[in-house]
Amino acid sequence: MERKSVLVVGGSGYLGQHLLAALAAGGEVDVAFTHHRDTAPQPLLHALPGLRAFRVDLRSGDGLRAVSDSFGQPHVIVNCAAISVPRQCETDPAAAMATNVPSSLVTWLLSFGNDNTLLIHLSTDQARDNRGSYENPEFIGYLLIYAFVVYIVTSKCRKFLLLILPSHSLVVPVYEGVKSFYKEDDETLPVNMYGKSKVAAEKFIIEQCSNYAILRSSIIYGPQTISPVAKSLPIQWMDNVLSQGQQVQFFNDEFRCPVYVKDMVDVVLSLTKSWLADGKAVQVLLNVGGPDRVSRLQMAESVADVRGYSHSIIKSVSASSVDRGVASPPDISMDITKLTQMLGIKPISFQDGVRATLAAEAST
């Protein structure tokens, strides 16, 4: 019986390393991963000696031929690779599009000439646009309508106005705020280049691939990786700054549904096992987040509660008080009903995820 194989693209990153550890622990498939640096992370290779590592440049596709020559056609490809820092994408949009839209990877996949591979692609919750601000073209439209209505009022046409407003509710989006808990089929209107590049990737994969699972992930948090990643991890960073006892500012008006990394891994493993078991066609887009809609402020408060820090050092501020050099959507919380119904996976609460993260850090 043919042994199955899984290739994790971007396996040296945060999610990639957690996924590699889980696949290696299962021992049921041959596992390889790609990395973009000159050498693969040595701690990762030492801890998981059965892995195959390949250096690949996703922008050009250099290195992919070596994968097929040595590892063959993977039964599953999990694409975790991306330029995921919004500011970096904003300053170099060409690199963001070249890396985040996996054109070379998909071209290589199609070169096998069959439908025997499932592509699992990591996307983002930042595909959404729910700005109630002047950056949003839809909002500008509502604003123009509102200005026209005001003009009618000042032109002594109040009776005409009263006939229009109850039936059409033209200015409701301005006053009721932003939408929460987006579904997979809601419109995508990203506010920054990172989101735009990920939406372009989704469209490209849907158009080109026969079998795919696109996972729109929220913030992924959890324990550090085998080979520590360079980027700051959210829970660990909050724990570190709060432990110093100095007042720290956290945004109170940007909301996400952070997902614990082991739940994210379980989603990928579930899709992988199902595909390897029956090979039935897969074309699915899933929101993957935790069950809780939380702000950065609430995230910090959860860390403080677990650690026993005083809430007095947590200062609540608006996101508009800081210029981050890139637009950020205020509420991209997600509805994960489809995920739980399709895969039977129920992600743990944010509070439990914080406890698990900090417990894992304490044990290492």
Side-chain angles (χ1 to χ4, degrees), residues 85-108:
V85 179
R87 180 183 282 248
Q88 185 179 350
C89 293
E90 216 68 25
T91 56
D92 194 348
M97 293 297 289
T99 303
N100 294 351
V101 180
S103 54
S104 63
L105 178 66
V106 170
T107 299
W108 174 70

Side-chain angles (χ1 to χ4, degrees), residues 133-134 136-152 170-171 174:
S133 74
Y134 299 106
N136 191 335
E138 182 181 2
F139 178 82
I140 293 173
Y142 283 120
L143 190 62
L144 291 173
I145 293 170
Y146 176 67
F148 177 67
V149 169
V150 171
Y151 171 77
I152 293 175
L170 294 178
V171 297
V174 176

Side-chain angles (χ1 to χ4, degrees), residues 221-235:
Y221 69 95
Q224 182 59 273
T225 49
I226 294 171
S227 179
V229 292
K231 71 176 183 178
S232 176
L233 301 180
I235 305 305

Side-chain angles (χ1 to χ4, degrees), residues 337-351:
T337 302
K338 185 176 178 181
L339 171 74
T340 57
Q341 291 179 345
M342 178 178 173
L343 301 182
I345 292 174
K346 294 183 179 180
I348 64 174
S349 70
F350 183 70
Q351 188 85 353

Side-chain angles (χ1 to χ4, degrees), residues 2-6 73-77 116-118 275-276:
E2 180 188 17
R3 188 168 171 82
K4 306 296 185 180
S5 59
V6 177
Q73 178 182 355
H75 294 88
V76 177
I77 297 173
N116 297 335
T117 298
L118 170 66
W275 169 259
L276 295 179

Side-chain angles (χ1 to χ4, degrees), residues 30-52:
D30 292 330
V31 184
F33 72 96
T34 74
H35 58 92
H36 71 281
R37 299 187 184 277
D38 290 339
T39 58
Q42 293 307 303
L44 181 63
L45 295 178
H46 292 156
L48 307 173
L51 299 181
R52 302 280 301 280

Side-chain angles (χ1 to χ4, degrees), residues 69 71 78-79 116 136 141 182 281 316 339 348:
D69 288 346
F71 192 65
V78 185
N79 183 25
N116 297 335
N136 191 335
Y182 279 87
S316 174
L339 171 74
I348 64 174

